Structures are given as C-alpha cells and as structure tokens.
Amino acid sequence: MHARRDGRRWGLRIATALAALVLTASGAGHAMVTSAENGVHRVDPFRGLRERPEAGAGLNILLIGTDSREGLTAEERDRYHVGDASCRCADAVLLLHVSEARDRATVVSLPRDSYAELPAHDFADSGERHPAHADKLNAALSHGGPPLMVSTVEGLTGLRVDHYVEVSFVSFMRAVDEVGGVRLCSARPLKDSYSGLDLPAGTSRLDGAEALAYVRARHLDGGSDFARMERQQRFLAAFLDEAVSSGVLLNPAKAGATARALLGSVRADPGFGAEEMLALAGVLRHFETAQARFTSVPVADTARHVPGLGSTVVWDREAAGRLFAALRVDGPLPEPPRPEGAGGTPGPAATARADEITC
C-alpha cells in the first residue's frame, strides 16, 4: 500500500455525533429532543437534484464531517492542535445504512480523496456555473454545498440518500467530554506530535481533546488514510459502548447536555427532525455488536496520480458495486477483499494495525 500524507483532517466526528445524537434521544424523551432540535441548522441538500436513484430497501443517511473551527476560542484551537485555517471541506464522508426491518446498521467509509465525477453545478460562494468535471469527493461540498455532495455520492454508489447530517469537530470534542470520556486500549504506545496524540500502552480514558488527536492522527501506520479510517470506526464502536454502559441514556440531564453539545454545530435536512431522531434512536439503542457493521468502500488504487488533482483513491468498481447492491436490497454484505499475500487485492482493512485494540 502506498503511504498517503494528508492535511489536517480527521474522520470520525460525524459518525460519532449522529450515533450519540440518536442514542441520547431515546434516553431523554420527546420533549428534550424537540427542544434540542431547535439548535440544528437546516439545509436543503436535495434542492435541484434530478435523475436520482430509485429508493431501495432501508434508510440511507449521508454523514459529513467538516473542518470548521467555528465556535472555538484561540486557547481551544491551540489545545486541540487544529490551527486557524479551515474551509468548507468534507473531512469525513460516511454512509449509514439502516435495514428495512430496523435490525441492522452498516457504516461505510468513503475516502475523501476518492476520484469522482462532479455533476454540473453552481459554485456555492459565487453562484458561477461550472460544468461537470473530475475532482476528489471532498471537493463536492466546497464547490456546490450539500446538494452537490448528495448528488456526487448518489452517482458513485447508486444509492438514494434519504437524510443528510453534517457536523463540525466542535460537536465531537464536547460530546466526548459530556459522556465522561471514552475508554480505549492499545498494546503499544501511540504518539503523533502533529495531532497531539500521546497514548501510552494499555488502557486509557480519552477526553475530547485526546479523542480528537486519536482520530486525526496521520503519522501512524506510515501515514495510511485507510488505517486511520479503521481507527475512526474502532473509536465509534467504543463511543457507542460508553454511551450505553455509562448510564448517559438513563440520565435526562446528562443526555440533554450531550444532545445540546452535539446539536450546536449540526446541519441537517428539514426532514431529519425530532420524530426521525427518536425513531432512529429506537433502532440503534437495541443494537448488539453483531448487528452493526463498519466497513470501507473497496479500492483498486490508493494513490493514483491524476493531472490537476494529484493523488486520488480509485474504487474497485466491481467490488464496490457488489457492496452497494447488497445495501440496496438489504442483503448480506459481500466478503471484503482478501489481505495482501492471500491472492487478492489488498483492502482497506488490511492496513489496520493489529496491535491497536478497542477494549
């Protein structure tokens, strides 16, 4: 696998935020959720979209994490090692699929540097018309806002997006602190001076700043973006375990504070309201580990150079097609590509460090 060196970015905040949001909703009740919902900023991610995929079985929620520093003080920016510069960029792109029977969930990580064909669009800032062109997936948000991101993801996956949720890292950090931190285990020390990560071997309880450093760390594993995505998925599982086991859901005050921390920097489509939050909460609160699957889209090349774009991630069209076809009909997920050396194309999971373990 080629090493990939990315800028300041991290991937889990949106998945963590949504999962915690719907979990806290089930514990806090309808009145709290309705009140907290007022803090959500509404966007119309489906405006002007045409020739969309037909609806399939289940529910698809597009989860976007952005690098916005809005709401952070200078002291917080220094503490979290995030600097001052930011853009309307998609640091994390994940697709949450909930089965039609509401008994299974799958989170699929879509690499932000995925090669994509962006449909014709108006620039979000200037309104200038831009023809269809090749670009990286993360550019869709900064070029044309949520509608272009939805359209691009639908074109890549063939799945119809039912809801759109976007969260900045401010929500991520504060939500982790509200649940009292998240417990992780590592068989070796993990240190990355760029993100601020300094995790000893053994079991640690990470606060918001430490959790942010963990999921942002890019100077571990040779800079592999896929190993980082697997860490992010691992952290999501640990966060969900913490939310359930710590009693947050049984404490209305704590649940309400966590929901407010999350919702303060959330943007979502108008259809994703209190009723939808509560309904989804009723699904996720009963999930066991075997009922939730975290995976990454299969790729053929992790560092293909494209003139004008630089290094891009190219999907394995056949394997990715099987994955999304299975989600469309609520069928069992296909087996992931075999690890390198086993006669198959190396998949993202093959890059994960075996000595980093979730307790």
Side-chain angles (χ1 to χ4, degrees):
M1 303 290 289
H2 295 284
R4 302 179 65 245
R5 302 186 184 281
D6 304 318
R8 283 194 180 98
R9 59 193 184 219
W10 57 287
L12 184 63
R13 54 188 176 267
I14 181 64
T16 298
L18 179 74
L21 170 65
V22 295
L23 284 169
T24 54
S26 65
H30 190 282
M32 187 284 293
V33 175
T34 302
S35 176
E37 181 195 0
N38 295 330
V40 175
H41 300 281
R42 296 297 176 182
V43 296
D44 183 1
F46 310 117
R47 184 184 69 253
L49 299 189
R50 300 178 179 85
E51 299 181 3
R52 302 183 63 196
E54 293 184 4
L59 186 71
N60 298 313
I61 302 174
L62 182 58
L63 315 173
I64 303 296
T66 71
D67 72 344
S68 172
R69 277 81 164 146
E70 186 177 352
L72 289 179
T73 66
E75 181 181 355
E76 286 176 322
R77 292 178 184 180
D78 182 64
R79 177 191 173 201
Y80 300 138
H81 295 258
V82 297
D84 295 323
S86 66
C87 68
R88 289 286 307 154
C89 300
D91 276 1
V93 183
L94 302 100
L95 196 62
L96 168 63
H97 175 82
V98 180
S99 65
E100 186 76 20
R102 303 300 191 255
D103 59 353
R104 300 187 317 278
T106 302
V107 178
V108 184
S109 296
L110 310 181
R112 55 162 282 164
D113 287 342
S114 297
Y115 179 88
E117 294 289 339
L118 272 57
H121 56 276
D122 296 331
F123 275 113
D125 293 334
S126 66
E128 178 186 354
R129 189 65 177 171
H130 201 285
H133 64 95
D135 213 318
K136 296 181 181 181
L137 175 58
N138 73 309
L141 187 64
S142 57
H143 279 213
L148 184 60
M149 177 58 77
V150 168
S151 181
T152 302
V153 169
E154 289 186 338
L156 284 170
T157 66
L159 296 176
R160 187 181 182 94
V161 173
D162 299 298
H163 291 295
Y164 175 92
V165 182
E166 178 186 313
V167 180
S168 78
F169 68 69
V170 175
S171 294
F172 170 82
M173 298 178 302
R174 292 173 179 167
V176 170
D177 285 333
E178 285 293 342
V179 301
V182 172
R183 189 170 64 105
L184 284 177
C185 175
S186 178
R188 67 183 178 99
L190 301 175
K191 189 175 182 66
D192 182 352
S193 59
Y194 289 86
S195 72
L197 178 65
D198 189 2
L199 190 67
T203 301
S204 301
R205 179 168 291 277
L206 280 61
D207 63 15
E210 293 165 330
L212 180 64
Y214 179 78
V215 297
R216 284 183 64 237
R218 65 188 187 278
H219 291 273
L220 303 170
D221 317 301
S224 167
D225 202 34
F226 293 105
R228 181 174 41 175
M229 283 196 299
E230 181 127 333
R231 267 196 307 278
Q232 294 161 0
Q233 293 171 349
R234 186 179 299 122
F235 188 87
L236 171 56
F239 184 95
L240 290 172
D241 287 342
E242 193 68 45
V244 173
S245 62
S246 65
V248 165
L249 306 186
L250 302 177
N251 184 331
K254 193 72 173 176
T258 304
R260 285 190 293 273
L262 289 168
L263 292 172
S265 51
V266 167
R267 301 205 311 165
D269 66 273
F272 193 72
E275 296 297 334
E276 288 71 26
M277 294 177 194
L278 287 166
L280 193 53
V283 175
L284 296 189
R285 68 183 299 195
H286 297 299
F287 278 166
E288 301 293 340
T289 303
Q291 293 171 298
R293 176 81 176 269
F294 306 99
T295 189
S296 300
V297 65
V299 301
D301 194 336
T302 61
R304 180 175 298 178
H305 181 79
V306 176
L309 299 182
S311 180
T312 66
V313 175
V314 178
W315 293 8
D316 182 327
R317 289 181 177 272
E318 184 176 341
R322 289 195 297 268
L323 169 64
F324 296 120
L327 294 179
R328 189 177 303 111
V329 298
D330 263 353
L333 295 186
E335 290 298 316
R338 287 175 290 178
E340 192 171 10
T345 303
T351 66
R353 298 290 306 207
D355 51 358
E356 293 176 30
I357 307 167
T358 300
C359 299

PDB file of all heavy atoms in Angstrom, residues 231-246:
ATOM      1  N   ARG A 231      -9.232   3.097  12.533  1.00  0.00           N
ATOM      2  CA  ARG A 231      -9.168   3.617  13.908  1.00  0.00           C
ATOM      3  C   ARG A 231     -10.427   4.411  14.225  1.00  0.00           C
ATOM      4  O   ARG A 231     -10.971   4.343  15.323  1.00  0.00           O
ATOM      5  CB  ARG A 231      -7.934   4.511  14.097  1.00  0.00           C
ATOM      6  CG  ARG A 231      -6.713   3.811  14.615  1.00  0.00           C
ATOM      7  CD  ARG A 231      -5.679   4.792  15.145  1.00  0.00           C
ATOM      8  NE  ARG A 231      -5.341   5.831  14.190  1.00  0.00           N
ATOM      9  CZ  ARG A 231      -4.469   5.679  13.204  1.00  0.00           C
ATOM     10  NH1 ARG A 231      -3.864   4.524  13.037  1.00  0.00           N
ATOM     11  NH2 ARG A 231      -4.190   6.668  12.386  1.00  0.00           N
ATOM     12  N   GLN A 232     -10.875   5.191  13.257  1.00  0.00           N
ATOM     13  CA  GLN A 232     -12.065   6.003  13.460  1.00  0.00           C
ATOM     14  C   GLN A 232     -13.291   5.120  13.694  1.00  0.00           C
ATOM     15  O   GLN A 232     -14.114   5.395  14.572  1.00  0.00           O
ATOM     16  CB  GLN A 232     -12.271   6.902  12.240  1.00  0.00           C
ATOM     17  CG  GLN A 232     -11.164   7.940  12.087  1.00  0.00           C
ATOM     18  CD  GLN A 232     -11.090   8.513  10.691  1.00  0.00           C
ATOM     19  OE1 GLN A 232     -11.871   8.149   9.814  1.00  0.00           O
ATOM     20  NE2 GLN A 232     -10.143   9.407  10.455  1.00  0.00           N
ATOM     21  N   GLN A 233     -13.414   4.045  12.928  1.00  0.00           N
ATOM     22  CA  GLN A 233     -14.522   3.124  13.125  1.00  0.00           C
ATOM     23  C   GLN A 233     -14.417   2.437  14.478  1.00  0.00           C
ATOM     24  O   GLN A 233     -15.414   2.219  15.167  1.00  0.00           O
ATOM     25  CB  GLN A 233     -14.535   2.094  11.992  1.00  0.00           C
ATOM     26  CG  GLN A 233     -14.857   2.713  10.650  1.00  0.00           C
ATOM     27  CD  GLN A 233     -14.649   1.741   9.501  1.00  0.00           C
ATOM     28  OE1 GLN A 233     -14.078   0.667   9.668  1.00  0.00           O
ATOM     29  NE2 GLN A 233     -15.105   2.121   8.321  1.00  0.00           N
ATOM     30  N   ARG A 234     -13.187   2.108  14.868  1.00  0.00           N
ATOM     31  CA  ARG A 234     -12.961   1.480  16.172  1.00  0.00           C
ATOM     32  C   ARG A 234     -13.387   2.428  17.290  1.00  0.00           C
ATOM     33  O   ARG A 234     -13.996   2.027  18.282  1.00  0.00           O
ATOM     34  CB  ARG A 234     -11.474   1.125  16.305  1.00  0.00           C
ATOM     35  CG  ARG A 234     -11.115   0.340  17.546  1.00  0.00           C
ATOM     36  CD  ARG A 234      -9.628   0.025  17.578  1.00  0.00           C
ATOM     37  NE  ARG A 234      -9.248  -0.785  16.431  1.00  0.00           N
ATOM     38  CZ  ARG A 234      -8.330  -0.426  15.545  1.00  0.00           C
ATOM     39  NH1 ARG A 234      -7.722   0.731  15.664  1.00  0.00           N
ATOM     40  NH2 ARG A 234      -8.033  -1.213  14.543  1.00  0.00           N
ATOM     41  N   PHE A 235     -13.068   3.705  17.121  1.00  0.00           N
ATOM     42  CA  PHE A 235     -13.447   4.669  18.145  1.00  0.00           C
ATOM     43  C   PHE A 235     -14.958   4.834  18.223  1.00  0.00           C
ATOM     44  O   PHE A 235     -15.526   4.993  19.302  1.00  0.00           O
ATOM     45  CB  PHE A 235     -12.781   6.019  17.887  1.00  0.00           C
ATOM     46  CG  PHE A 235     -12.991   6.987  19.016  1.00  0.00           C
ATOM     47  CD1 PHE A 235     -12.124   7.010  20.087  1.00  0.00           C
ATOM     48  CD2 PHE A 235     -14.087   7.842  19.028  1.00  0.00           C
ATOM     49  CE1 PHE A 235     -12.340   7.879  21.152  1.00  0.00           C
ATOM     50  CE2 PHE A 235     -14.310   8.704  20.083  1.00  0.00           C
ATOM     51  CZ  PHE A 235     -13.430   8.715  21.151  1.00  0.00           C
ATOM     52  N   LEU A 236     -15.634   4.818  17.070  1.00  0.00           N
ATOM     53  CA  LEU A 236     -17.086   4.917  17.065  1.00  0.00           C
ATOM     54  C   LEU A 236     -17.702   3.792  17.889  1.00  0.00           C
ATOM     55  O   LEU A 236     -18.612   4.024  18.694  1.00  0.00           O
ATOM     56  CB  LEU A 236     -17.613   4.864  15.632  1.00  0.00           C
ATOM     57  CG  LEU A 236     -19.138   4.753  15.467  1.00  0.00           C
ATOM     58  CD1 LEU A 236     -19.848   5.886  16.168  1.00  0.00           C
ATOM     59  CD2 LEU A 236     -19.504   4.696  14.000  1.00  0.00           C
ATOM     60  N   ALA A 237     -17.213   2.564  17.699  1.00  0.00           N
ATOM     61  CA  ALA A 237     -17.741   1.439  18.470  1.00  0.00           C
ATOM     62  C   ALA A 237     -17.526   1.665  19.959  1.00  0.00           C
ATOM     63  O   ALA A 237     -18.408   1.398  20.786  1.00  0.00           O
ATOM     64  CB  ALA A 237     -17.076   0.148  18.021  1.00  0.00           C
ATOM     65  N   ALA A 238     -16.346   2.173  20.332  1.00  0.00           N
ATOM     66  CA  ALA A 238     -16.051   2.430  21.742  1.00  0.00           C
ATOM     67  C   ALA A 238     -16.930   3.539  22.302  1.00  0.00           C
ATOM     68  O   ALA A 238     -17.385   3.484  23.445  1.00  0.00           O
ATOM     69  CB  ALA A 238     -14.575   2.794  21.912  1.00  0.00           C
ATOM     70  N   PHE A 239     -17.193   4.563  21.485  1.00  0.00           N
ATOM     71  CA  PHE A 239     -18.044   5.668  21.919  1.00  0.00           C
ATOM     72  C   PHE A 239     -19.460   5.171  22.189  1.00  0.00           C
ATOM     73  O   PHE A 239     -20.097   5.532  23.182  1.00  0.00           O
ATOM     74  CB  PHE A 239     -18.060   6.757  20.852  1.00  0.00           C
ATOM     75  CG  PHE A 239     -18.828   7.989  21.242  1.00  0.00           C
ATOM     76  CD1 PHE A 239     -18.185   9.079  21.804  1.00  0.00           C
ATOM     77  CD2 PHE A 239     -20.196   8.067  21.040  1.00  0.00           C
ATOM     78  CE1 PHE A 239     -18.887  10.228  22.165  1.00  0.00           C
ATOM     79  CE2 PHE A 239     -20.912   9.200  21.392  1.00  0.00           C
ATOM     80  CZ  PHE A 239     -20.254  10.282  21.957  1.00  0.00           C
ATOM     81  N   LEU A 240     -19.982   4.335  21.287  1.00  0.00           N
ATOM     82  CA  LEU A 240     -21.323   3.788  21.470  1.00  0.00           C
ATOM     83  C   LEU A 240     -21.400   2.940  22.726  1.00  0.00           C
ATOM     84  O   LEU A 240     -22.370   3.015  23.491  1.00  0.00           O
ATOM     85  CB  LEU A 240     -21.713   2.962  20.251  1.00  0.00           C
ATOM     86  CG  LEU A 240     -21.963   3.747  18.960  1.00  0.00           C
ATOM     87  CD1 LEU A 240     -22.136   2.792  17.790  1.00  0.00           C
ATOM     88  CD2 LEU A 240     -23.161   4.646  19.085  1.00  0.00           C
ATOM     89  N   ASP A 241     -20.364   2.128  22.950  1.00  0.00           N
ATOM     90  CA  ASP A 241     -20.327   1.313  24.172  1.00  0.00           C
ATOM     91  C   ASP A 241     -20.368   2.205  25.409  1.00  0.00           C
ATOM     92  O   ASP A 241     -21.045   1.915  26.390  1.00  0.00           O
ATOM     93  CB  ASP A 241     -19.066   0.450  24.201  1.00  0.00           C
ATOM     94  CG  ASP A 241     -19.134  -0.704  23.222  1.00  0.00           C
ATOM     95  OD1 ASP A 241     -20.245  -1.039  22.778  1.00  0.00           O
ATOM     96  OD2 ASP A 241     -18.071  -1.270  22.898  1.00  0.00           O
ATOM     97  N   GLU A 242     -19.617   3.297  25.360  1.00  0.00           N
ATOM     98  CA  GLU A 242     -19.555   4.215  26.507  1.00  0.00           C
ATOM     99  C   GLU A 242     -20.910   4.863  26.755  1.00  0.00           C
ATOM    100  O   GLU A 242     -21.371   4.983  27.899  1.00  0.00           O
ATOM    101  CB  GLU A 242     -18.494   5.282  26.254  1.00  0.00           C
ATOM    102  CG  GLU A 242     -18.110   6.089  27.469  1.00  0.00           C
ATOM    103  CD  GLU A 242     -17.366   5.254  28.496  1.00  0.00           C
ATOM    104  OE1 GLU A 242     -16.461   4.502  28.100  1.00  0.00           O
ATOM    105  OE2 GLU A 242     -17.709   5.355  29.698  1.00  0.00           O
ATOM    106  N   ALA A 243     -21.562   5.295  25.674  1.00  0.00           N
ATOM    107  CA  ALA A 243     -22.863   5.961  25.814  1.00  0.00           C
ATOM    108  C   ALA A 243     -23.888   5.029  26.445  1.00  0.00           C
ATOM    109  O   ALA A 243     -24.732   5.451  27.239  1.00  0.00           O
ATOM    110  CB  ALA A 243     -23.355   6.447  24.455  1.00  0.00           C
ATOM    111  N   VAL A 244     -23.800   3.740  26.099  1.00  0.00           N
ATOM    112  CA  VAL A 244     -24.758   2.774  26.635  1.00  0.00           C
ATOM    113  C   VAL A 244     -24.398   2.366  28.060  1.00  0.00           C
ATOM    114  O   VAL A 244     -25.246   2.340  28.954  1.00  0.00           O
ATOM    115  CB  VAL A 244     -24.817   1.525  25.729  1.00  0.00           C
ATOM    116  CG1 VAL A 244     -25.672   0.439  26.368  1.00  0.00           C
ATOM    117  CG2 VAL A 244     -25.373   1.899  24.356  1.00  0.00           C
ATOM    118  N   SER A 245     -23.115   2.044  28.304  1.00  0.00           N
ATOM    119  CA  SER A 245     -22.715   1.469  29.584  1.00  0.00           C
ATOM    120  C   SER A 245     -22.577   2.494  30.700  1.00  0.00           C
ATOM    121  O   SER A 245     -22.662   2.154  31.885  1.00  0.00           O
ATOM    122  CB  SER A 245     -21.378   0.726  29.428  1.00  0.00           C
ATOM    123  OG  SER A 245     -20.346   1.618  29.044  1.00  0.00           O
ATOM    124  N   SER A 246     -22.375   3.770  30.365  1.00  0.00           N
ATOM    125  CA  SER A 246     -22.131   4.772  31.392  1.00  0.00           C
ATOM    126  C   SER A 246     -23.408   5.305  32.041  1.00  0.00           C
ATOM    127  O   SER A 246     -23.347   6.072  32.994  1.00  0.00           O
ATOM    128  CB  SER A 246     -21.345   5.949  30.797  1.00  0.00           C
ATOM    129  OG  SER A 246     -22.122   6.626  29.820  1.00  0.00           O
TER     130      SER A 246
END
